[in-house]
Amino acid sequence: MIKFYFFIIPLQNFSKDTIYILYTHYINIHMIKEYQNIAIMVGERNISYSQLLDYINLFSTYTPQGKGDKTLVFSENREGWIYAFFSIWQNKGVAVPVDASSTVSDVVYILKDCKPQCIWTSKERLSVAEEAVKESGMPIKILLIDDYEQVSCPQKEGKLYIQEDGIFTAENKEMALIIYTSGTTGSPKGVMISYANLYANCHSVTVDVPIFDSTRRTLILLPLHHVLPLVGTVIMPILAGGGVAICPTLSGPDIMDTLVKGKIAIFVGVPRLWTTIYLGIKKKIDASPVARALFKLCEVVNSPKLSRIIFKAVHQKLGGNLTYCVSGGASLDTEIGCGLRTLGITMLEGYGMTETAPIISFTRPGDVIPGCVGKPMSTVDVKIVNGEICVKGPNVMLGYYNRPEETAQVIDQDGYVHTGDLGYLDELGRIHITGRSKEIIVLSNGKNIQPAELEYKLEKYDQYVKEVAVTQDGDMLRAIIVPKEEWAANLSDAEVEEQLKRLVIEPYNLTVVNYKKVMSLSVFRGALPRTKLDKLQRFKLKDLIKDIDKAEAHPLEKPQTNETLEMKILRKYIEEEKKVIVKPTSHIETDLAFDSLDCVSLEGFIERTFGVQIKSGTFAQYANIQEIADYIAQYKTRSEVENIDWHSILSSDTSSLNIASTWRIHTKVVHLMHKFLRNHNDLEINGIENLPLGGQFIMAPNHQSAIDGNICTAGLSDYTLRNTYYYATEEHIKGYLLQLIARHNNVILMQHQNLKDSILRMAKVLKMGKNIVIFPEGARTHDGQMQTFKKTFAILSKELDIPIIPVRIEGAYEAMPRGTKHLGRNKITVTYLPVIKPTEDITYQQLSDKVRNAILGK
């Protein structure tokens, strides 16, 4: 058992550098902040540094005790992942993080390669871990994170506890990690990383350049089995004392919610994420002549301070606390980097590889040049050999596990790692990447082509192109183009190919020399094979082309005529994505050969199309595609509304549907709340003259707080209140008592299992001459800014010819933002805007946009 010695340390007596050295010399986890400050935030749960150490100690009592013992961490991102990981170090063991979406065969490969003593896993991955251990034939202990993750641990208040004989030092060259590469060129290799390797990385960004410190919390978003998110979003921020906040999913709302609630200062992402964020913001800017002009002004002036003032709303949308955004894992397009800088976003780009744990160089604050990956770490020596970047320093790995020959191919006799990246050093020692030596295409005429250069140019036709891979096809270049879904949705593959040749390939070929022209094209409606950190797996492109050619030669079978709507949509998506025949009995893995990236794509498609969340790691648990379709049918909250005949649906018989009743005290309770708001929040009501006298309406307010339902009806008379119903999601009205109150206070619950009936209940109420209050955003704002409007209210308005009253609520977000339970005293204003009536020629989307713009004051 490891001994602990306890000291009380007055931190104010030490400089920042002294504290860092002291802690990294004595303990494997040091807390620069006060001991009770938050180390981990996850949902509504906050874990202090004191609790963190207690949990690590708890987990370490079950983790193998032998020095150098290997333990796998095989789980999705969660707080227990962090406890399990650090408990391995607490016992001076070797941690082996494993992709949570790995298959049984993937895990068996790693088990046989590194022969661990133990696996920490979660309930979700337990069956895979058990089957892998069984197939490996090795006596490996399995520990369940869920059993210990949230048990009660006693807190040690007011003291810092320092472990003697620490292991996280610059001198400790013992192995700390084995990271299995994600495989851009073939089978994964185990990269052995020492404590000294990690110390060099941490010291460079906490002391040499203080990016991570005790005042900056970091977002955990990327999967932690990769070295970039492991070091950059767990080890560094926790050692620096700033702590972390775990984002539950990769969905936009969860990211925004975590940025706001966690007051995130450091956001580590991959280029594709930053591209998506930037293009989304830029699209909105381009839609407004004023915003375009301001963007151009900021681009010319190049003042981060001015940009942050002008685009304050953008920064608030990203949480309002971001200090640094970090891009790593692959190259960030120069245009994206420049665009983000114009918005006032400080984007730091890092360059490295798993073999350097991972940093080689990074851009320093105040010295950010888009397209440049900055200066090397101070302890790293860089030289260019025949155009290839080679590096040497304390960050260089110990080698590949059990692969001395392959280690010798990468690390030369002088200790330099040959990165395989091509580039140069500028006059100030900054590194500029120009390509990958292993990716170069050599044609028979001797011409060398860097495919990434061509792919970037083709992807600039982003109205039609989502992503591109360029590969060699005999003595020509072939482009595999994934078309933009919204553009290609109603086109066949043959039509898409024909138009891409005319709209993309021909214009591109006019701009390049002959040997860089693309003379062959394949259309692929799927995701190109990439690692989890967005690197293109070029070794898989040949097989992908074979599959595409085979699919074109053998058209897909016709579907069964009796399939459900959900099965039809699901089948069509998979067939277009995978170019395979999908039957109701097809299994995700054994029949359709889905890998982890395919599953993530399918998860996103199902959530976007049906509003159902099925975690990508659970798809294989369903017996076949039909079971997945049946689950979707049971729990879906939406479908493709524009393709549905809503006029026929809303004309359906609603006599069997029950609606909420009205208690006599309903209006008295509501008016009592209005009186309270007038006194407590100086509630101001404007535009009462816009309320129709006696006529019915659909009221559409923006959604700022949990009390908006009371705020938006503050100007209604008793008679109108009794005849006004509210549409609410069932998540917000849980428990028997709340549901009982809702049923007798004019509340129509949106039921996920039967969304159609919920909409028909609203239609029934409107047909009875009553009114409806619907919040078009569907959920409260995360940052005070108005969200995208859903179209349910517009459908009801247009099909039933009911006018809409737009309602602008102001001040409620400041009084009671999301995540708080107490109402502040900020002034609140509600304004009833002029009625908007549906017209025969207006679409649902146009009507929705018209209401939203009215509330925005456009």
Side-chain angles (χ1 to χ4, degrees), residues 77 96-97 115 236 277 356 422 551:
N77 289 4
V96 186
K115 298 177 174 57
M236 286 176 178
I277 290 173
T356 56
L422 303 176

Side-chain angles (χ1 to χ4, degrees), residues 529-684:
R530 295 180 182 272
T531 69
K532 290 290 181 63
L533 294 189
D534 204 40
K535 294 180 181 178
L536 193 60
Q537 294 177 305
R538 296 188 182 274
F539 71 96
K540 292 184 177 181
L541 294 180
K542 287 185 178 179
D543 289 338
L544 179 59
I545 289 174
K546 287 180 182 178
D547 291 340
I548 294 172
D549 291 345
K550 185 178 179 181
E552 291 174 350
H554 302 284
L556 299 176
E557 294 178 349
K558 292 184 178 181
Q560 297 181 10
T561 57
N562 62 343
E563 66 182 357
T564 63
L565 174 64
E566 293 76 20
M567 182 63 197
K568 181 179 180 180
I569 294 173
L570 203 57
R571 173 187 57 75
K572 184 178 180 182
Y573 169 82
I574 296 174
E575 287 179 346
E576 290 177 347
E577 291 285 310
K578 297 289 289 180
K579 304 299 179 186
V580 294
I581 297 170
V582 177
K583 300 176 182 178
T585 56
S586 298
H587 185 269
I588 281 287
E589 287 185 351
T590 56
D591 297 319
L592 303 178
F594 263 57
D595 60 19
S596 58
L597 288 179
D598 295 327
C599 289
V600 170
S601 297
L602 180 59
E603 176 186 348
F605 171 77
I606 290 173
E607 184 172 356
R608 289 193 307 272
T609 307
F610 302 106
V612 177
Q613 282 196 343
I614 304 178
K615 292 187 178 180
S616 56
T618 66
F619 282 123
Q621 298 174 13
Y622 292 88
N624 50 52
I625 292 296
Q626 186 63 61
E627 279 198 6
I628 297 176
D630 291 343
Y631 181 89
I632 292 170
Q634 183 178 4
Y635 294 107
K636 70 176 182 178
T637 61
R638 61 175 177 267
S639 190
E640 306 228 28
V641 279
E642 292 292 352
N643 295 329
I644 296 176
D645 184 359
W646 282 106
H647 183 76
S648 298
I649 291 174
L650 296 179
S651 299
S652 303
D653 180 20
T654 59
S655 58
S656 62
L657 298 176
N658 297 321
I659 61 172
S661 59
T662 307
W663 272 342
R664 291 183 179 181
I665 62 170
H666 169 66
T667 56
K668 292 183 175 60
V669 172
V670 174
H671 282 313
L672 187 62
M673 184 62 183
H674 293 161
K675 185 176 181 180
F676 168 77
L677 290 170
R678 288 187 180 94
N679 293 329
H680 189 270
N681 295 92
D682 193 18
L683 177 63
E684 180 181 325

Side-chain angles (χ1 to χ4, degrees), residues 314-422:
V314 171
H315 291 264
Q316 290 299 318
K317 188 77 173 175
L318 295 172
N321 294 280
L322 275 181
T323 305
Y324 300 122
C325 293
V326 180
S327 181
S331 178
L332 181 69
D333 288 340
T334 302
E335 181 181 343
I336 304 300
C338 289
L340 290 168
R341 182 177 64 180
T342 300
L343 293 171
I345 296 172
T346 303
M347 176 63 67
L348 304 180
E349 191 169 358
Y351 164 59
M353 55 197 303
T354 307
E355 289 82 349
T356 56
I359 303 175
I360 293 172
S361 68
F362 59 96
T363 52
R364 272 60 167 177
D367 186 31
V368 177
I369 302 174
C372 168
V373 293
K375 295 179 181 178
M377 295 196 311
S378 61
T379 54
V380 170
D381 180 38
V382 176
K383 65 179 181 179
I384 308 297
V385 180
N386 298 323
E388 182 183 11
I389 299 169
C390 301
V391 300
K392 178 181 180 180
N395 59 333
V396 172
M397 66 172 179
L398 299 174
Y400 295 121
Y401 190 74
N402 287 335
R403 298 194 184 191
E405 293 181 0
E406 292 186 45
T407 301
Q409 292 173 4
V410 174
I411 304 177
D412 63 26
Q413 293 181 346
D414 295 326
Y416 281 89
V417 171
H418 290 248
T419 66
D421 292 309
L422 303 176

Side-chain angles (χ1 to χ4, degrees), residues 169-416:
T169 70
E171 293 77 28
N172 190 354
K173 293 181 171 55
E174 293 180 350
M175 184 164 47
L177 294 170
I178 298 179
I179 299 285
Y180 280 86
T181 57
S182 49
T184 58
T185 57
S187 61
K189 299 183 287 288
V191 178
M192 297 184 289
I193 296 175
S194 71
Y195 292 101
N197 296 154
L198 297 168
Y199 180 93
N201 273 265
C202 292
H203 193 274
S204 69
V205 292
T206 57
V207 176
D208 289 348
V209 182
I211 294 170
F212 293 88
D213 67 19
S214 61
T215 67
R216 296 172 184 153
R217 185 173 293 120
T218 301
L219 179 72
I220 293 181
L221 178 67
L222 303 175
L224 295 178
H225 66 280
H226 282 287
V227 69
L228 169 63
L230 172 57
V231 177
T233 68
V234 173
I235 297 174
M236 286 176 178
I238 287 182
L239 294 189
V244 299
I246 302 174
C247 188
T249 72
L250 295 175
S251 70
D254 279 340
I255 293 174
M256 294 302 137
D257 194 40
T258 309
L259 286 171
V260 174
K261 284 169 124 179
K263 297 182 179 178
I264 298 301
I266 300 176
F267 185 175
V268 180
V270 293
R272 190 167 295 275
L273 174 64
W274 300 121
T275 299
T276 300
I277 290 173
Y278 172 71
L279 293 179
I281 296 170
K282 190 63 166 59
K283 186 176 181 180
K284 293 179 180 179
I285 289 173
D286 290 342
S288 165
V290 174
R292 284 201 308 272
L294 290 172
F295 184 86
K296 189 65 179 177
L297 172 66
C298 291
E299 195 174 37
V300 173
V301 174
N302 192 23
S303 166
K305 187 175 181 180
L306 175 64
S307 294
R308 283 192 290 271
I309 293 171
I310 290 179
F311 295 108
K312 182 179 179 181
V314 171
H315 291 264
Q316 290 299 318
K317 188 77 173 175
L318 295 172
N321 294 280
L322 275 181
T323 305
Y324 300 122
C325 293
V326 180
S327 181
S331 178
L332 181 69
D333 288 340
T334 302
E335 181 181 343
I336 304 300
C338 289
L340 290 168
R341 182 177 64 180
T342 300
L343 293 171
I345 296 172
T346 303
M347 176 63 67
L348 304 180
E349 191 169 358
Y351 164 59
M353 55 197 303
T354 307
E355 289 82 349
T356 56
I359 303 175
I360 293 172
S361 68
F362 59 96
T363 52
R364 272 60 167 177
D367 186 31
V368 177
I369 302 174
C372 168
V373 293
K375 295 179 181 178
M377 295 196 311
S378 61
T379 54
V380 170
D381 180 38
V382 176
K383 65 179 181 179
I384 308 297
V385 180
N386 298 323
E388 182 183 11
I389 299 169
C390 301
V391 300
K392 178 181 180 180
N395 59 333
V396 172
M397 66 172 179
L398 299 174
Y400 295 121
Y401 190 74
N402 287 335
R403 298 194 184 191
E405 293 181 0
E406 292 186 45
T407 301
Q409 292 173 4
V410 174
I411 304 177
D412 63 26
Q413 293 181 346
D414 295 326
Y416 281 89

Side-chain angles (χ1 to χ4, degrees), residues 50-55 58 151-157:
S50 173
Q51 291 170 307
L52 170 63
L53 188 55
D54 289 336
Y55 275 112
L58 172 66
V151 300
S152 178
C153 283
Q155 294 190 32
K156 306 173 178 66
E157 297 183 1

Side-chain angles (χ1 to χ4, degrees), residues 620-838:
Q621 298 174 13
Y622 292 88
N624 50 52
I625 292 296
Q626 186 63 61
E627 279 198 6
I628 297 176
D630 291 343
Y631 181 89
I632 292 170
Q634 183 178 4
Y635 294 107
K636 70 176 182 178
T637 61
R638 61 175 177 267
S639 190
E640 306 228 28
V641 279
E642 292 292 352
N643 295 329
I644 296 176
D645 184 359
W646 282 106
H647 183 76
S648 298
I649 291 174
L650 296 179
S651 299
S652 303
D653 180 20
T654 59
S655 58
S656 62
L657 298 176
N658 297 321
I659 61 172
S661 59
T662 307
W663 272 342
R664 291 183 179 181
I665 62 170
H666 169 66
T667 56
K668 292 183 175 60
V669 172
V670 174
H671 282 313
L672 187 62
M673 184 62 183
H674 293 161
K675 185 176 181 180
F676 168 77
L677 290 170
R678 288 187 180 94
N679 293 329
H680 189 270
N681 295 92
D682 193 18
L683 177 63
E684 180 181 325
I685 303 170
N686 300 316
I688 291 181
E689 66 276 8
N690 291 318
L691 294 172
L693 297 174
Q696 67 176 138
F697 55 80
I698 295 173
M699 185 176 285
N702 59 313
H703 206 353
Q704 291 201 334
S705 74
I707 59 169
D708 289 348
N710 283 291
I711 294 171
C712 69
T713 58
L716 302 185
S717 65
D718 284 359
Y719 173 80
T720 308
L721 270 175
R722 282 195 296 272
N723 289 281
T724 299
Y725 286 70
Y726 305 83
Y727 188 48
T729 58
E730 56 188 354
E731 290 95 340
H732 295 145
I733 303 178
K734 296 179 179 179
Y736 175 78
L737 181 59
L738 281 179
Q739 290 181 1
L740 175 66
I741 294 172
R743 284 197 299 270
H744 294 284
N745 282 273
N746 294 11
V747 176
I748 299 173
L749 286 180
M750 186 192 80
Q751 298 174 329
H752 288 306
Q753 295 186 14
N754 201 335
L755 181 62
K756 179 181 175 183
D757 277 4
S758 301
I759 294 173
L760 286 177
R761 281 188 172 88
M762 286 194 288
K764 181 175 182 177
V765 165
L766 291 170
K767 289 175 184 178
M768 293 167 58
K770 311 288 186 181
N771 312 307
I772 288 282
V773 175
I774 304 177
F775 292 97
E777 293 167 271
R780 284 168 284 160
T781 177
H782 293 267
D783 55 7
Q785 302 300 309
M786 198 183 304
Q787 303 174 88
T788 303
F789 274 23
K790 304 183 188 308
K791 292 176 284 191
T792 305
F793 79 104
I795 292 169
L796 290 166
S797 171
K798 179 175 170 58
E799 297 302 336
L800 300 178
D801 194 25
I802 308 294
I804 299 171
I805 301 176
V807 181
R808 183 187 300 131
I809 297 174
E810 299 171 283
Y813 173 76
E814 290 75 15
M816 196 176 184
R818 178 187 279 261
T820 60
K821 297 180 180 180
H822 302 289
L823 180 65
R825 301 189 68 90
N826 301 68
K827 180 180 175 59
I828 298 175
T829 302
V830 57
T831 304
Y832 301 105
L833 301 166
V835 168
I836 294 177
K837 295 181 179 180

